[in-house]
Amino acid sequence: MTERHRMTEKQFNKYFNAFILIGMTVVTVLVTGIKLRDADSGQWLLLVSAFGSLMGILATVSSANGWIITFLFGFLDVSIYGVACWINWREGGSGLGNALLHFAYFVPMQFVGFLQWKSRGAKASRQVKARRLSPAMRWAWLGISLVATVVLYLVIARFDRSVATGFLKVAVILDVVPLVCNIIGQLLMSTAYMEQWFFWMAVNIFSIALWVCSDQVFAPVYIVKYTFYLINSFNGLRIWLTLSRKSEA
């Protein structure tokens, strides 16, 4: 790869990061302003959710670029999002699984990820040394994700109060798939594996669907958030393919 090509790629990342950060900020401010004007209650939750979303986009952009500061922004994001999911479930919507996930797993994993990335060479000015799963491990994680999805669906469906009886409960599916993919994605992220991005893509798609089905005042903020996350996840995959290739060289 020539020096000119490296500079071109660096510039692309710079402009792409700016697009995600500025776009997310502008849309979040606009959506929040509109919802604040129309909302009869819950304004403080809307403002806190908007702040959490901005922290989340900083975290996911930093993660895509292999920067260790992602775990500082991530801590703020997952803490606020966990509260939002809990409130949504308490008021009759879905989100119980995601709330439990964020409080019991995502928050402590921010500290684990920081230590793991630091041990793999990540610093304030240095990207993490990424790696790839073997073909056998990729199939193993795919199988684990499918089995976990079925098991957790059966468990959560018994307690989630937002759905009617039936064989397939859509609200539970929208809750369980992000739950499983979040757990595996976070584990692969904390241990610096490139394959994390396939799980993040699934998380983003199903999370968008979950909040589209919600009538909470802060739901539009999270629809915007996960739409930008989805766009960023494709760039993250591109960057981590390069980072993991360098580590294997």
Side-chain angles (χ1 to χ4, degrees):
M1 183 182 293
T2 65
E3 181 66 23
R4 181 179 180 182
H5 185 247
R6 282 197 295 269
M7 290 300 295
T8 300
E9 182 176 353
K10 183 178 180 180
Q11 290 174 350
F12 173 83
N13 289 338
K14 179 180 179 180
Y15 294 137
F16 188 91
N17 293 340
F19 162 73
I20 294 293
L21 292 171
I22 295 173
M24 175 69 174
T25 301
V26 170
V27 175
T28 299
V29 170
L30 290 176
V31 171
T32 302
I34 293 172
K35 297 300 291 186
L36 280 173
R37 182 190 61 187
D38 298 336
D40 296 327
S41 61
Q43 288 88 344
W44 70 273
L45 281 173
L46 183 61
L47 290 173
V48 172
S49 297
F51 174 76
S53 291
L54 293 177
M55 293 299 99
I57 201 64
L58 285 170
T60 195
V61 168
S62 298
S63 175
N65 287 272
W67 300 332
I68 196 169
I69 197 173
T70 185
F71 297 105
L72 172 61
F73 299 130
F75 173 78
L76 296 172
D77 173 40
V78 299
S79 299
I80 293 172
Y81 186 67
V83 173
C85 288
W86 179 261
I87 293 174
N88 190 52
W89 175 74
R90 286 292 299 272
E91 296 187 3
S94 59
L96 174 61
N98 267 310
L100 296 176
L101 166 70
H102 282 71
F103 291 139
Y105 180 73
F106 246 6
V107 170
M109 283 299 289
Q110 302 308 305
F111 300 97
V112 173
F114 176 83
L115 295 175
Q116 288 289 319
W117 279 33
K118 188 176 180 180
S119 70
R120 293 192 60 80
K123 296 181 179 179
S125 58
R126 183 184 300 173
Q127 293 171 303
V128 66
K129 295 179 181 178
R131 50 185 173 177
R132 301 184 186 185
L133 294 171
S134 66
M137 288 302 298
R138 290 176 185 173
W139 284 108
W141 279 115
L142 177 60
I144 291 171
S145 65
L146 293 176
V147 172
T149 297
V150 174
V151 172
L152 286 176
Y153 171 85
L154 295 175
V155 172
I156 294 179
R158 291 179 59 86
F159 299 99
D160 196 303
R161 300 170 296 180
S162 65
V163 294
T165 57
F167 179 70
L168 285 178
K169 302 176 180 180
V170 176
V172 178
I173 294 174
L174 295 179
D175 207 8
V176 166
V177 173
L179 173 62
V180 173
C181 291
N182 261 313
I183 292 173
I184 298 176
Q186 179 65 62
L187 180 60
L188 295 178
M189 171 187 169
S190 295
T191 50
Y193 282 103
M194 173 273 297
E195 286 79 4
Q196 62 171 293
W197 292 104
F198 296 110
F199 290 95
W200 293 139
M201 289 176 188
V203 168
N204 298 330
I205 291 171
F206 279 87
S207 293
I208 291 170
L210 185 152
W211 288 107
V212 165
C213 297
S214 172
D215 59 358
Q216 288 295 321
V217 65
F218 48 77
V221 173
Y222 287 112
I223 294 173
V224 172
K225 169 184 174 179
Y226 281 102
T227 298
F228 275 91
Y229 276 18
L230 180 60
I231 296 172
N232 186 70
S233 63
F234 287 100
N235 191 51
L237 176 61
R238 182 187 66 83
I239 293 174
W240 278 64
L241 282 169
T242 300
L243 291 177
S244 59
R245 189 179 299 117
K246 290 180 180 178
S247 298
E248 292 180 347

